[in-house]
């Protein structure tokens, strides 16, 4: 009896220890660096302007959307635009990046409970020697990222970044854009869309946000359409281009991407499949003939709005519709012709019969 | 003779006195014949002074006068209200804004008749003293509110077709300087990134036969960023490394040049495939890998893995590693790599 009681006490003690040490118990309170990571940040790209020798601050909010607490750290990185494509490239700190030292955070590491927001303030102490633009990425990572993989396993770490465009305002800042390209993908289209490619290059030393319109006209029809260029206020970074793809697609019929469950259906090469969309409500938008697209884009060079203009022409020839209509027209004409011929033949027959009858009657009369 | 005249005068006086005494009772009886409604309202849909408005008229008849048959309903608007011409007094019986339990006023005239401040509608009989009857005037051209003021008195009245009052009540109209509330809201720009798991398994051992692939790990992006988003990927080793004695790195082959690399049979290589969902999301050309033997080169610096060009409710990017080894690749069970994926809203 005494022995049994001792054994059960030991079992109870062992059970309690196992509960305390069990990983699931620990993870219920604190994430150990594994499992799902869900983060939301706000705002999105931050534009800051500061006079050298001053400081400027920006609050960056982060929310833990996961179902467990997260230990997070703030990391500073930089970005720039690819000089050929203009795409954003992300970099760790490199030698000579002294401007990383200007930045301090209100919290470098912190614990963020599930479903809670935290504001981290980034302060940029910009020295008097600073000039033009500096591009930072404030990245939130898990503090603990050293996951030990199992056999045949790879590890994925995730992070979410907020991009910061900091301009140190100096008098010799140069804001200048040049037009590299304003084109359409081909000269003749059967149906819309017609995709315009506007490629602007920043040849200044600070970022520029251009905006404008493409006015499409056909003969006397002054404005067949007006399309906005850079309506989303995208910035062009110095020494890099930015492509603005603008689509004119309000035609009838028009090609659209084939979709299933909200996603584009792709071919074997991974390219989205197009299909013809016959929206009869837009039947009045049948496009055909020669069109001219005039682009007018402006940007602020710090003194005035500088315009950039260009023009391109193209044809829309819905040849299948025209061909079909022509065939139908030919059939109608042929049918009309044969119908008329039949009518004429019948009329002729009747008049000949009448003539014969009259002649016969005349003959009979004469013979009588 | 004089006496006779006096007698006649006193009789006349007596009759006159009697009439004078009785007359008030008759007058009182007449006043009792008309009573207030049990419940009534004339509600303006807009209260702003000077605003053109539609409205609703409701009434519950008293039990006292229920026996009488309504033939008209008359609304008298206070001075200051501008009453439109008769043609504008179209009626309707849409119940949307009526009090609970109200029913349509029976046989209400399709278009009322306006004269000065008075608008008259012919009406059917209100047969229940426990029922609230309503109708609307539905044209904003019918009436324009008086300037902002409180408790301007008007009247609501039901009459028989012979114009005898059945129920009548005064209605207090009030108008205000402004009846609208300006509401402003802020939608903050947000960027959400979710990565469901940290590890990704090669489903089969790496061999020189066929290309092996991991299960794939899917990142989800939700953002209202107007210029979309970009995701970058970096490899810790640009290859699969093993700590086992004698093991050599399975290097990520090729270069990041916008063209996927094909893992040829009997060669060693390690690449990444990225697939996206979302109408405006696309993998980088480097990682667009239609063939099972293809993939993009992994680098120890961040490279663009995928991008979306518009705001999205749920774009995804699935990262799948692919590897192949030659027949002489040293055996080990711990070939591994660490990928870091960062995503951000585009500038």
């Amino acid at each position: 009896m005494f022995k049994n009681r001792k054994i059960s006490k030991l079992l109870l003690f062992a059970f309690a220890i196992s509960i305390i040490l069990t990983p699931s118990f620990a993870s219920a309170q604190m994430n150990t660096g594994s499992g799902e990571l869900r983060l939301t940040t706000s705002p999105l790209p931050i534009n800051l302007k500061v006079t050298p020798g001053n400081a400027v601050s920006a609050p960056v909010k982060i929310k833990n959307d996961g179902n467990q607490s997260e230990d997070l750290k703030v990391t500073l990185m930089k970005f720039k635009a690819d000089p050929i494509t203009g795409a954003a490239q992300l970099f760790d700190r490199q030698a000579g990046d002294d401007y990383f030292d200007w930045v301090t955070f209100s919290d470098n590491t912190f614990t963020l409970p599930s479903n809670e927001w935290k504001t981290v303030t980034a302060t940029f102490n910009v020295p008097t020697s600073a000039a033009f633009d500096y591009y930072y990425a404030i990245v939130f990572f898990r503090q603990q990222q050293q996951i030990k993989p199992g056999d045949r396993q790879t590890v994925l770490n995730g992070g979410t970044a907020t991009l910061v465009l900091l301009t140190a305002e100096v008098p010799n800042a140069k804001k200048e854009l040049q037009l590299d390209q304003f084109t359409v993908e081909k000269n003749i289209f059967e149906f819309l869309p017609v995709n315009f490619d506007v490629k602007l290059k920043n040849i200044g030393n600070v970022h520029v946000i251009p905006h404008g319109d493409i006015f499409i006209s056909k003969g006397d029809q002054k404005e067949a359409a007006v399309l906005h260029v850079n309506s989303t206020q995208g910035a062009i970074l110095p020494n890099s281009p930015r492509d603005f793809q603008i689509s004119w697609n309000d035609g009838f019929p028009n090609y659209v991407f084939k979709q299933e469950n909200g996603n584009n259906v792709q071919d074997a090469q991974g390219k989205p499949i197009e299909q013809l969309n016959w929206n009869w409500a837009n039947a009045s938008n049948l496009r055909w003939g020669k069109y001219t697209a005039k682009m007018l884009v402006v940007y602020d060079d710090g003194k005035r709005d500088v315009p950039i203009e260009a023009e391109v022409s193209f044809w829309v020839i819905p040849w299948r519709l025209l061909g079909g209509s022509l065939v139908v027209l030919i059939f109608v004409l042929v049918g009309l012709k044969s119908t008329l011929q039949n009518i004429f033949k019948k009329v002729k027959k009747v008049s000949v019969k009448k003539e014969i009858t009259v002649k016969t009657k005349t003959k009979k009369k004469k013979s009588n | 003779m004089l006496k006779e005249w006096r007698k006649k005068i006193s009789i006349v006086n007596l009759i006159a006195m009697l009439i004078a005494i009785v007359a008030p009772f008759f007058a009182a009886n007449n006043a009792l014949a008309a009573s207030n409604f049990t419940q009534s309202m004339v509600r303006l849909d807009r209260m702003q002074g000077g605003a053109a408005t539609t409205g609703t008229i409701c009434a519950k008849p008293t039990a006292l006068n229920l026996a009488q048959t309504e033939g008209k309903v008359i609304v008298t608007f206070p001075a200051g209200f501008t009453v439109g011409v008769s043609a504008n007094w179209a009626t309707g019986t849409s119940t949307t804004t009526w009090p609970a339990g109200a029913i349509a006023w029976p046989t209400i005239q399709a278009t009322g008749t306006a004269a000065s401040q008075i608008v008259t509608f012919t009406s059917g009989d209100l047969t229940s003293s426990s029922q609230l009857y309503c109708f609307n005037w539905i044209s904003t051209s019918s009436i324009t509110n008086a300037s902002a003021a409180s408790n301007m008195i008007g009247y609501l009245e039901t009459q028989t077709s012979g114009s005898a009052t059945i129920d009548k009540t005064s209605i207090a109209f009030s108008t205000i300087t402004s009846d609208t509330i300006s509401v402003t809201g802020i939608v903050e720009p947000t960027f959400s990134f979710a990565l469901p798991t940290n590890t990704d398994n090669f489903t089969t051992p790496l061999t020189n036969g066929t290309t092996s692939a991991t299960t794939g790990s899917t990142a989800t992006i939700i953002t209202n960023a107007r210029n979309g988003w970009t995701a970058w990927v970096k490899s810790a080793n640009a290859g699969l490394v093993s700590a086992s004695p004698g093991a050599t790195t399975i290097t990520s082959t090729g270069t990041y040049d916008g063209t996927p690399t094909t893992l040829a049979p009997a060669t060693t290589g390690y690449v990444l495939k990225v697939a996206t969902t979302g109408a405006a999301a696309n993998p980088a050309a480097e990682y667009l890998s239609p063939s099972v033997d293809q993939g993009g080169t992994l680098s120890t610096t961040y490279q663009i893995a995928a991008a979306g060009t518009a705001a999205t409710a749920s774009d995804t990017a699935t990262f799948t590693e692919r590897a192949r080894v030659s027949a002489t690749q040293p055996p080990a069970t711990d070939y591994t790599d660490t990928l870091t994926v960062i995503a951000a809203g585009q500038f």
Side-chain angles (χ1 to χ4, degrees), chain B residues 4-97:
Chain B
E4 276 181 11
W5 272 109
R6 277 183 182 166
K7 207 180 260 179
K8 277 179 184 173
I9 288 167
S10 63
I11 287 167
V12 169
N13 278 344
L14 197 66
I15 291 166
M17 279 174 70
L18 276 171
I19 289 169
I21 289 165
V22 173
F25 290 103
F26 280 106
N29 282 344
N30 283 341
L32 284 172
S35 64
N36 287 337
F37 296 96
T38 307
Q39 185 182 346
S40 62
M41 72 171 198
V42 178
R43 190 186 63 204
L44 306 172
D45 290 338
R46 290 204 60 191
M47 287 184 72
Q48 185 168 311
T53 184
T54 51
T56 300
I57 296 165
C58 294
K60 188 187 283 186
T62 53
L64 184 68
N65 297 322
L66 200 61
Q68 300 197 56
T69 303
E70 281 82 0
K72 298 176 197 171
V73 55
I74 299 164
V75 190
T76 305
F77 289 96
F81 280 75
T82 306
V83 178
V85 296
S86 299
N88 294 329
W89 282 93
T91 61
T93 51
S94 167
T95 61
T96 312
T97 58

Side-chain angles (χ1 to χ4, degrees), chain A residues 246-265:
Chain A
I246 300 113
S247 185
W248 180 35
N249 53 16
D250 68 336
F252 171 82
N254 63 338
Y255 282 106
V256 294
F257 289 132
K258 189 177 180 183
Q259 290 201 325
E260 278 177 12
N261 303 322
N263 297 317
N264 294 338
V265 179

Side-chain angles (χ1 to χ4, degrees), chain A residues 4 23 67 71 86 98 122 134 149 155 169 175 187 193 199 201 210 218 255 270 301 321 329 341:
Chain A
N4 278 348
N67 53 16
D71 288 337
D98 297 339
Y134 302 89
V155 177
E169 293 183 303
K175 286 184 169 180
N187 292 325
K199 195 171 192 176
K201 188 174 182 183
K218 177 191 161 191
Y255 282 106
D301 72 348
L321 274 183
L329 192 67
Q341 276 177 340

